[in-house]
Amino acid sequence: MITSSDIFTISSQKQFEKIALKMFRFQYENNKVYQEFCDFLKTDPQKVKSLQQIPFLPIQFFKSHKVVSNTNPIQETFTSSGTTGMITSKHSVTDVTLYEESYRKGFSEFYGNLEDYVVLALLPSYLEREGSSLIYMVKDLIELSNHPESGFYLHNHDELIAKLITLDETGQNVILIGVTFALLDLIENQQFQLKHTIIMETGGMKGKRKEMIREELHEQLCKGFGVSAIHSEYGMTELLSQAYSLGNGVFECPSWMQILVRDTEDALTYIQDGKTGGINVIDLANLNSCSFIATQDLGKKNPNNSFEVLGRFDNSDIRGCNLMVL
């Protein structure tokens, strides 16, 4: 039996691999969708002895199947955003305390004590729909900050502008978590010179603006907010953990999460550090769904285990992942 204590007290690579292999065997035995997928690949669980031998479930399965590793009641169903008519991902969560422990511990690992910050959130596209795991997380962080100034903002930009300026002038540490297009909208209304504020973008134009490369985006945001670096959060509906970038688009994982980079032409082969490929995520907080996810993101891994996200597969490039879809 794997416990939350096993997951969130990992302190070495050897320990991570031991828990990951134990997780693989548990999920193979208890997750019908994952078991069928592994069997389709003719994987013998007894012969899986390393992370590289573990099959990674293509993330599309969360759109077509219920990916769960137990029969407990569903406590929360997190859903991805999508345009009208799109099939969205659904992550059925049977123990939401694992998610809460993951993002709370992850945040403190990178940013320290939450009560040191006012947490402001500019997430209009997420607030305007049901089932967002990001909103669930940020709402909890706002409450745990225990600060009366913390809160959500929808389209009330003037109020947010005044709040940011006032708090920064008093020397209060602030984290502004925002969806990319909304942060750009904000700096079109007001240029800032913030000294005590962290700007964290969560990605996504959501069809509101043209996509742009990270360097161009972060340059605009740095200039508009008057900060030296833009922080980023790498998370998704199908994961219960987040990686964080403290600047320059270089992400680091908490101790219970790692990535591997697969060959875009052969989804079962891994490539060396520094080369671009498909991002596979091991998220051990996904105890009750699937901890081994092949995403549709492109990226590269650095020798120190940090990584960069460089884009997404387009439909013509996704054959390396589609080879594995039942």
Side-chain angles (χ1 to χ4, degrees):
M1 184 65 188
I2 302 169
T3 66
S4 63
S5 177
D6 295 329
I7 294 165
F8 297 118
T9 58
I10 289 171
S11 59
S12 68
Q13 181 62 21
K14 186 176 180 182
Q15 199 179 0
F16 181 91
E17 291 183 18
K18 181 181 176 182
I19 299 294
L21 289 166
K22 191 175 178 183
M23 185 78 75
F24 161 68
R25 286 186 280 275
F26 167 76
Q27 292 181 340
Y28 177 83
E29 290 168 8
N30 293 281
N31 186 324
K32 183 173 178 289
V33 172
Y34 186 54
Q35 185 181 91
E36 287 182 3
F37 174 69
C38 292
D39 290 347
F40 175 78
L41 294 179
K42 298 183 169 50
T43 302
D44 180 351
Q46 301 307 315
K47 293 182 178 175
V48 173
K49 306 292 186 187
S50 71
L51 300 183
Q52 288 75 12
Q53 292 174 309
I54 295 173
F56 282 73
L57 188 73
I59 201 165
Q60 300 98 303
F61 275 77
F62 283 83
K63 292 184 176 182
S64 56
H65 296 73
K66 190 175 181 179
V67 183
V68 290
S69 294
N70 59 37
T71 57
N72 297 340
I74 306 300
Q75 294 181 354
E76 292 283 342
T77 300
F78 294 128
T79 57
S80 62
S81 56
T83 54
T84 306
M86 274 182 63
I87 301 170
T88 57
S89 287
K90 288 186 170 62
H91 191 174
S92 301
V93 179
T94 60
D95 183 1
V96 77
T97 64
L98 278 170
Y99 182 42
E100 292 168 351
E101 190 165 2
S102 177
Y103 65 67
R104 289 171 185 172
K105 279 185 160 51
F107 182 92
S108 65
E109 191 171 310
F110 289 95
Y111 293 99
N113 187 354
L114 185 58
E115 292 192 0
D116 292 340
Y117 298 94
V118 168
V119 179
L120 304 177
L122 184 60
L123 301 165
S125 55
Y126 293 91
L127 270 178
E128 293 166 321
R129 67 176 184 85
E130 295 290 319
S132 166
S133 57
L134 179 63
I135 293 296
Y136 187 101
M137 176 180 84
V138 174
K139 182 173 184 289
D140 190 48
L141 295 179
I142 285 171
E143 289 172 2
L144 291 171
S145 75
N146 204 23
H147 203 294
E149 302 284 3
S150 293
F152 283 101
Y153 289 81
L154 192 55
H155 301 297
N156 43 340
H157 282 183
D158 290 345
E159 192 181 333
L160 176 56
I161 288 165
K163 179 89 69 181
L164 281 168
I165 292 170
T166 301
L167 288 170
D168 202 74
E169 285 175 349
T170 63
Q172 171 65 51
N173 291 327
V174 175
I175 293 184
L176 173 61
I177 302 172
V179 65
T180 306
F181 77 82
L183 292 174
L184 289 168
D185 288 348
L186 188 66
I187 59 172
E188 282 184 359
N189 287 336
Q190 174 77 35
Q191 297 281 296
F192 298 89
Q193 285 297 322
L194 301 174
K195 295 181 174 60
H196 306 283
T197 303
I198 291 169
I199 307 298
M200 183 188 295
E201 56 103 358
T202 65
M205 294 301 186
K206 307 294 178 190
K208 306 278 187 180
R209 288 170 173 259
K210 73 175 181 66
E211 296 288 341
M212 63 177 80
I213 61 169
R214 179 189 58 79
E215 288 84 357
E216 181 189 359
L217 168 66
H218 282 202
E219 187 180 338
Q220 280 193 30
L221 291 175
C222 281
K223 185 178 177 186
F225 286 104
V227 296
S228 59
I230 300 298
H231 294 218
S232 305
E233 179 250 12
Y234 181 77
M236 57 192 73
T237 300
E238 301 83 359
L239 303 177
L240 294 186
S241 300
Q242 301 77 32
Y244 288 101
S245 166
L246 306 189
N248 302 317
V250 178
F251 290 90
E252 293 187 45
C253 297
S255 57
W256 56 90
M257 176 185 181
Q258 287 187 16
I259 72 148
L260 302 173
V261 179
R262 68 182 185 271
D263 192 316
T264 55
E265 297 295 323
D266 177 4
L268 303 179
T269 300
Y270 292 100
I271 60 176
Q272 64 193 62
D273 291 348
K275 300 262 183 152
T276 300
I279 293 177
N280 285 1
V281 179
I282 303 174
D283 181 4
L284 298 180
N286 272 20
L287 169 63
N288 298 313
S289 53
C290 182
S291 289
F292 310 99
I293 308 293
T295 77
Q296 293 180 347
D297 292 327
L298 289 166
K300 64 181 181 182
K301 190 174 179 181
N302 301 319
N304 65 353
N305 282 332
S306 65
F307 68 99
E308 297 172 50
V309 182
L310 303 172
R312 288 176 64 80
F313 286 88
D314 64 30
N315 290 332
S316 62
D317 285 338
I318 211 158
R319 60 187 176 278
C321 202
N322 276 346
L323 286 174
M324 308 197 300
V325 178
L326 299 178

